[in-house]
Amino acid sequence: MSPQVAGLLQLIALIAALALAYRPLGDYMARVYSSEKNYRPEKWIYKAIGANPAAEMRWPAYLRGVLAFSAVSVLFLYLMQRVQGSLPGSLGFSSIDPDQAFNTAASFVANTNWQSYYGEQAMGHVVQTGGLAVQNFLSAAVGMAVAVALVRGFARSRTGELGNFWADLVRGTVRILVPISVIGAIVLVAAGAIQNFSGIHQVGQFMGGTQEWNGGAVASQEAIKELGTNGGGYFNANSAHPFENPNPLSNLFEIFLILLIPFALTRTFGRMVGSLKQGYAILGAMAVIWIGFTALMMWTEFAHRGPAFEIAGGAMEGKETRFGIAGSSIFAVATTLTSTGAVNSFHSSYTGFGGGITMLGMQLGEIAPGGVGSGLYGMLIMAIIAVFIAGLMVGRTPEYLGKKIGTRQIKLAACYILVTPALVLGFTAVAMALPTPADSMTNSGAHGFSEILYAYTSGANNNGSAFAGLNADTQWFNTTIGIAMLLGRFLPMVFVLALAGSLAEQKPVPETAGTLRTDKPLYSGLLVGTILIITGLTYFPALALGPLAEGLAS
């Protein structure tokens, strides 16, 4: 069997698994966020934090809950790292430096999980499990809560109330993320991932000599790392490490976890707004982009140019032989089209066009299917923009899901789509202009520029993967990427929740013969075109200086 055919079979198996899980998981999540019942463990949590889960919140109160909880989380995780040397289970590792502790705290709370450190050489068991793994759950639950608040904005009328942030946070964690993660961890242990709290021990090397390795609760962290589209690996090699991702079966399962909730949330959306066809339209747009990007990645990485590529069967540089080109390509697209950032290969070693595909996937806004929660609300923002463009074409006031898209809504949507490009391009320009950041580049020319562009694209879009050729453990990059991660995560949430509040206050608009049908394939195609055009106009000049120039020169 050729590698190309094997890759196609992997992709078909993955699509089939996602299709089987789509309906039950999507319906279950809709029931979770619509239920008025509180389980006993949830009641204990509400009592401990002093929250009333039945109290409805308008968007400013909901936003204050999101920002206050996230600020406390950043502070808590920062302090844990700063006192690591005094904690039990530190494995003898010292406390983390202030700039790196800030960067890591911002990274995990922002659901980015950018890592400028070697996990197995810096973080002890307590920080890994009690700090980083906990934030993997909570940051994902925050994203899901914001997405559900926006969905309620579409579903409700004549009220500014969007639900209760604390109830959404707790339910998303307790009823969705924890149960699936437990199952996922068991599957990964069965596949060969490790799960222990062993200390540092010496391991013999194939060519002689020894190397020091420590164990850890890897399988449990790996499950929520992928499920919550987090991406922070227990080890520096991330999902290329055999302790985290032992074989092709575990590799395919981890890709399944990455895509599971983001795709299923479209069913949740359709169920909560009372029209499953609307969810299918969003799903269709996501699926077209994801499959298209995967096909392009596999094509460019399988292309044979020169004797070395022909002997290896494709561009094998930077890829694990146990996954091959297909398994690496599918993983790379899944992790960059979502806000995961986990890697099972080095994206810097991909072909010029292949590296550009990973970058463009993030620059789309990670909406196909995107991060847990963030993918859905990002796609719904694009859906509003697409409706607005269609309205301009026919000279009609745009409507979406029975809500008028007026000046206020478009301004908020425009602010949302402008925040991330401003951060990415602004920080990239400054870093290229200053001598100190440029010294961290391993490569010069187009590839070196791609390293910087990729880093800020990954940070501001809350992805967390790296091009692997940039020394990001400097005060400049720790600080600026940390700022980009926080602003790129929470500024868009401000506009999303303000938009949700404005939609919930509206009266429903009756459907007429002139209303654009947003539950048809034609609208899905319009949505895909809108996404590609907006992204292309925004990022094409930067991409032309980096991956496109490198790809055309190779």
Side-chain angles (χ1 to χ4, degrees):
M1 183 185 299
S2 68
Q4 291 90 336
V5 173
L8 180 61
L9 292 177
Q10 288 184 56
L11 187 59
I12 292 172
L14 178 61
I15 293 173
L18 290 169
L20 288 173
Y22 177 76
R23 180 172 180 174
L25 179 58
D27 289 346
Y28 171 71
M29 289 192 292
R31 291 194 298 271
V32 166
Y33 289 112
S34 302
S35 173
E36 296 182 358
K37 181 180 179 181
N38 298 308
Y39 296 153
R40 183 171 297 178
E42 296 171 350
K43 292 178 181 179
W44 295 339
I45 296 173
Y46 298 139
K47 186 176 181 180
I49 63 178
N52 177 11
E56 289 281 342
M57 294 179 173
R58 299 178 68 85
W59 79 264
Y62 203 101
L63 176 62
R64 285 195 296 270
V66 170
L67 297 180
F69 177 77
S70 300
V72 171
S73 297
V74 170
L75 179 60
F76 177 77
L77 190 53
Y78 175 83
L79 292 176
M80 279 194 72
Q81 296 174 81
R82 294 292 294 135
V83 300
Q84 175 180 243
S86 303
L87 296 175
S90 65
L91 301 178
F93 297 141
S94 60
S95 298
I96 309 299
D97 292 337
D99 60 306
Q100 192 173 74
F102 162 73
N103 180 278
T104 304
S107 174
F108 277 77
V109 173
N111 198 241
T112 311
N113 299 64
W114 170 274
Q115 295 173 282
S116 62
Y117 60 88
Y118 296 91
E120 65 271 29
Q121 299 177 19
M123 302 292 182
H125 292 321
V126 172
V127 174
Q128 287 274 24
T129 57
L132 305 184
V134 168
Q135 285 305 317
N136 282 350
F137 284 96
L138 298 179
S139 63
V142 168
M144 294 169 69
V146 173
V148 169
L150 179 58
V151 173
R152 291 194 186 112
F154 284 111
R156 296 180 176 183
S157 301
R158 300 185 180 92
T159 176
E161 296 174 343
L162 301 175
N164 186 284
F165 167 70
W166 304 107
D168 292 338
L169 175 72
V170 171
R171 289 178 182 178
T173 303
V174 173
R175 302 191 196 184
I176 299 173
L177 296 174
V178 170
I180 301 177
S181 294
V182 170
I183 297 171
I186 294 172
V187 172
L188 288 173
V189 168
I194 68 169
Q195 180 77 7
N196 56 55
F197 287 103
S198 68
I200 297 175
H201 51 278
Q202 302 229 344
V203 179
Q205 299 184 76
F206 180 74
M207 299 298 292
T210 59
Q211 187 174 4
E212 289 187 342
W213 285 105
N214 56 275
V218 176
S220 57
Q221 186 161 325
E222 190 76 12
I224 187 57
K225 156 190 158 183
E226 313 296 11
L227 180 68
T229 59
N230 294 285
Y234 211 98
F235 301 99
N236 180 54
N238 208 278
S239 291
H241 198 292
F243 288 178
E244 292 192 23
N245 193 4
N247 51 57
L249 181 61
S250 67
N251 186 65
L252 198 61
F253 180 68
E254 290 186 12
I255 301 172
F256 170 76
L257 288 178
I258 290 172
L259 301 172
L260 179 61
I261 292 179
F263 272 130
L265 274 173
T266 61
R267 173 84 179 190
T268 304
F269 162 69
R271 182 68 70 186
M272 292 181 71
V273 299
S275 175
L276 292 177
K277 290 183 178 180
Q278 296 289 348
Y280 293 146
I282 298 297
L283 172 66
M286 289 179 172
V288 165
I289 296 174
W290 171 59
I291 293 174
F293 271 56
T294 303
L296 283 173
M297 180 65 83
M298 293 178 70
W299 171 77
T300 187
E301 295 304 301
F302 271 119
H304 297 174
R305 291 191 178 184
F309 280 9
E310 291 177 4
I311 293 172
M316 276 298 296
E317 181 186 349
K319 301 177 178 68
E320 287 290 317
T321 55
R322 65 183 189 277
F323 305 139
I325 292 174
S328 300
S329 298
I330 297 171
F331 198 111
V333 171
T335 195
T336 51
L337 276 177
T338 64
S339 65
T340 309
V343 292
N344 73 346
S345 54
F346 287 105
H347 296 175
S348 181
S349 296
Y350 278 48
T351 61
F353 290 134
I357 290 169
T358 61
M359 228 178 295
L360 182 60
M362 293 183 288
Q363 290 166 350
L364 291 181
E366 296 176 315
I367 52 179
V372 169
S374 61
L376 178 61
Y377 65 67
M379 183 60 88
L380 291 178
I381 295 291
M382 285 297 185
I384 290 173
I385 297 293
V387 167
F388 177 72
I389 292 174
L392 291 178
M393 292 179 179
V394 299
R396 178 182 172 85
T397 301
E399 305 164 11
Y400 186 57
L401 299 178
K403 302 295 177 72
K404 283 188 177 182
I405 307 303
T407 304
R408 175 174 170 78
Q409 288 74 37
I410 286 299
K411 285 181 178 179
L412 291 170
C415 288
Y416 176 93
I417 64 175
L418 289 173
V419 166
T420 304
L423 291 170
V424 172
L425 299 177
F427 276 121
T428 300
V430 174
M432 291 300 298
L434 296 177
T436 302
D439 292 340
S440 296
M441 294 163 52
T442 305
N443 301 279
S444 59
H447 197 82
F449 175 77
S450 293
E451 293 174 359
I452 301 288
L453 178 63
Y454 192 105
Y456 286 111
T457 298
S458 177
N461 283 281
N462 301 133
N463 183 271
S465 63
F467 225 39
L470 180 72
N471 175 25
D473 186 16
T474 66
Q475 287 189 352
W476 167 267
F477 284 113
N478 279 330
T479 303
T480 56
I481 293 177
I483 294 171
M485 289 187 290
L486 291 176
L487 294 179
R489 174 68 165 180
F490 297 109
L491 266 183
M493 286 183 176
V494 174
F495 303 122
V496 169
L497 291 173
L499 176 62
S502 70
L503 293 171
E505 292 172 349
Q506 288 189 27
K507 298 178 181 179
V509 178
E511 186 175 310
T512 66
T515 301
L516 175 67
R517 295 295 301 272
T518 56
D519 57 355
K520 299 293 183 180
L522 179 62
Y523 175 72
S524 296
L526 173 65
L527 179 55
V528 172
T530 300
I531 293 166
L532 295 177
I533 290 172
I534 289 176
T535 305
L537 292 174
T538 304
Y539 287 105
F540 180 77
L543 291 172
L545 293 173
L548 288 178
E550 183 181 357
L552 292 172
S554 61

